[in-house]
Amino acid sequence: MKKRIDEINVLRAFACLSVVLVHISAIPVSTLRRSYVLMGFTVLNRAVKYTTPAFIFMSGLLLVYIYKDREFNYFRFLKKRLKSTLIPYFIWTVIYYAYFIKRGYYVFSLEFFMENLLLGKMSFHLYFIVTITQFYFLFGLIRYLFRKYNPHILLVGSFVINVLVIKYVHFKYTDRFFLQYIFFFTLGGYISIYIESFKAIIKRYKYPILLGHGGIVAYYAYQYYQYQFLQRSVDGFIVNMTWFIFSFISIVSLYGIAVWVTNRYKLLYKGFKEVSKASYYIYLSHPLVLTISNSFLKKVGILSISLRFVLNLIIVTGTVVSIAIIYTRIKETYFRNKKKRQVSTAK
């Protein structure tokens, strides 16, 4: 039996909470005038923009780790993954659509609903589900490639493809096209094969990695501030490659921190594990709570954008994380008891 990769729970919790922070901090970034406060929020917002590559990296790592050398039934795998991913996605797409109709943003149209469902457009964050679903459909081929070819060649090849896609492939839905993230999925699979060596390397070079992480965050934020607020011309390919390098260094750095937390802080690890198990529901639900929270705060006369950021952070994380964890525990208990009853009946 393979050893569990416990640090993934911490890394997933980091990424999950970072998604929430990205969206909450986007409000002051898009609202404040140029100032030192805006610069601070810009650094915060850019620092946590690694999340989509990180989730794709974790999927690649776990799927290749679990399925590379074991019996694999493609259709059974697909049924399991799509059931756990697409049913909650469908439900939350309906919830967002109903909310937007109630607020007067949309009118009901089945054609509009189906288009937004298929493209992940009903809410700004749902594009990720479309992206990860493509990797699930392709995993049979990806698994075959990892079993047949040298992982080093696959990693280099995926890097070249990803950079070429960033450079030359541009269309309306590029942000949810799987080749935009193929390197990160492959990187996850690659590291699953050499995981102990990888952990030894990030432990040995932890200080240079952390320093590099801080440096790329600062440059990424500075670059964004230059073209977004100072309206200075920046080459789009350079911007996208900065994001690419930033995401890679962030994943490596945060993986090292996740290993450190897992090994040294058992109580903290348990808390992160709870967040990790509830992460999909936190991801799906938090923008709705953020929208309601921000509207409420404006309605009661809280005009300070910085204060609204703090209150939104407390309200959204306090409610969404707590409810998602409680729901996950209830769900786990239900299915555990159901399984026990089935075993008991079989006897």
Side-chain angles (χ1 to χ4, degrees):
M1 187 174 180
K2 285 189 172 182
K3 183 181 177 183
R4 291 185 309 179
I5 310 175
D6 290 331
E7 62 270 11
I8 283 292
N9 287 313
V10 180
L11 185 60
R12 188 183 292 113
F14 285 168
C16 174
L17 297 174
S18 292
V19 170
V20 178
L21 192 53
V22 165
H23 296 147
I24 296 175
S25 62
I27 296 172
V29 168
S30 62
T31 310
L32 286 168
R33 295 181 178 180
R34 280 190 289 173
S35 64
Y36 288 114
V37 176
L38 174 59
M39 290 175 67
F41 278 117
T42 300
V43 172
L44 175 63
N45 181 265
R46 294 293 101 180
V48 288
K49 288 285 284 184
Y50 65 92
T51 51
T52 298
F55 279 120
I56 290 170
F57 162 82
M58 286 183 279
S59 293
L61 191 156
L62 290 174
L63 291 178
V64 173
Y65 188 76
I66 293 168
Y67 290 108
K68 180 178 178 288
D69 298 315
R70 64 182 279 187
E71 184 181 348
F72 179 75
N73 183 300
Y74 175 72
F75 294 103
R76 195 179 302 142
F77 163 83
L78 208 55
K79 180 182 177 182
K80 178 182 177 182
R81 290 290 163 177
L82 296 185
K83 182 180 177 182
S84 62
T85 302
L86 296 187
I87 291 176
Y89 168 67
F90 177 82
I91 292 169
W92 276 97
T93 298
V94 171
I95 291 171
Y96 280 103
Y97 193 32
Y99 175 78
F100 293 144
I101 289 173
K102 184 178 180 184
R103 291 296 301 268
Y105 300 144
Y106 300 138
V107 295
F108 179 76
S109 165
L110 183 59
E111 182 182 350
F112 176 84
F113 173 78
M114 292 305 299
E115 178 186 342
N116 281 266
L117 177 71
L118 292 173
L119 293 173
K121 295 197 304 178
M122 194 61 75
S123 180
F124 55 82
H125 68 306
L126 295 176
Y127 76 93
F128 173 76
I129 313 304
V130 174
T131 306
I132 200 64
T133 300
Q134 294 171 66
F135 281 106
Y136 292 154
F137 276 106
L138 291 166
F139 183 67
L141 173 61
I142 293 170
R143 175 182 177 271
Y144 169 79
L145 293 174
F146 267 103
R147 287 168 62 88
K148 186 170 179 63
Y149 296 103
N150 188 305
H152 303 296
I153 294 173
L154 295 178
L155 185 66
V156 173
S158 70
F159 174 80
V160 172
I161 292 169
N162 212 144
V163 172
L164 290 174
V165 168
I166 290 173
K167 177 69 174 177
Y168 295 110
V169 179
H170 305 285
F171 59 99
K172 188 176 180 180
Y173 300 111
T174 305
D175 63 339
R176 61 211 69 192
F177 181 41
F178 79 97
L179 286 178
Q180 188 79 4
Y181 310 97
I182 188 65
F183 170 74
F184 296 103
F185 194 91
T186 308
L187 177 67
Y190 177 87
I191 285 175
S192 75
I193 297 169
Y194 304 105
I195 192 159
E196 294 305 323
S197 298
F198 172 67
K199 288 196 281 190
I201 289 169
I202 57 177
K203 182 178 180 181
R204 186 183 310 149
Y205 299 105
K206 58 185 174 183
Y207 295 118
I209 290 171
L210 289 172
L211 186 63
H213 188 191
I216 193 64
V217 166
Y219 179 73
Y220 188 39
Y222 167 77
Q223 184 188 69
Y224 181 80
Y225 192 85
Q226 289 286 306
Y227 71 79
Q228 186 69 26
F229 301 111
L230 301 183
Q231 300 297 306
R232 293 181 180 168
S233 178
V234 181
D235 184 274
F237 176 67
I238 299 300
V239 171
N240 289 330
M241 284 306 300
T242 302
W243 161 82
F244 185 86
I245 296 166
F246 155 77
S247 297
F248 170 73
I249 295 175
S250 296
I251 289 167
V252 172
S253 177
L254 291 171
Y255 197 104
I257 295 171
V259 171
W260 179 66
V261 170
T262 302
N263 292 337
R264 297 192 60 174
Y265 298 97
K266 298 304 180 185
L267 188 61
L268 188 58
Y269 169 77
K270 288 180 181 178
F272 281 130
K273 186 177 180 180
E274 292 294 325
V275 174
S276 174
K277 289 190 290 185
S279 60
Y280 190 40
Y281 303 109
I282 295 170
Y283 178 83
L284 289 171
S285 62
H286 77 273
L288 179 61
V289 178
L290 175 58
T291 302
I292 295 170
S293 172
N294 201 50
S295 298
F296 169 76
L297 293 175
K298 286 193 285 188
K299 188 178 291 185
V300 298
I302 298 176
L303 302 178
S304 167
I305 295 169
S306 298
L307 179 57
R308 282 214 312 268
F309 166 79
V310 174
L311 294 175
N312 277 325
L313 188 62
I314 294 169
I315 293 168
V316 175
T317 54
T319 56
V320 171
V321 174
S322 301
I323 292 171
I325 288 174
I326 292 169
Y327 171 75
T328 303
R329 284 186 174 182
I330 292 170
K331 184 180 173 184
E332 283 182 344
T333 302
Y334 170 78
F335 283 109
R336 186 165 54 246
N337 291 338
K338 183 180 179 181
K339 188 174 182 180
K340 286 180 180 178
R341 288 194 299 269
Q342 290 173 341
V343 172
S344 178
T345 303
K347 289 180 180 180

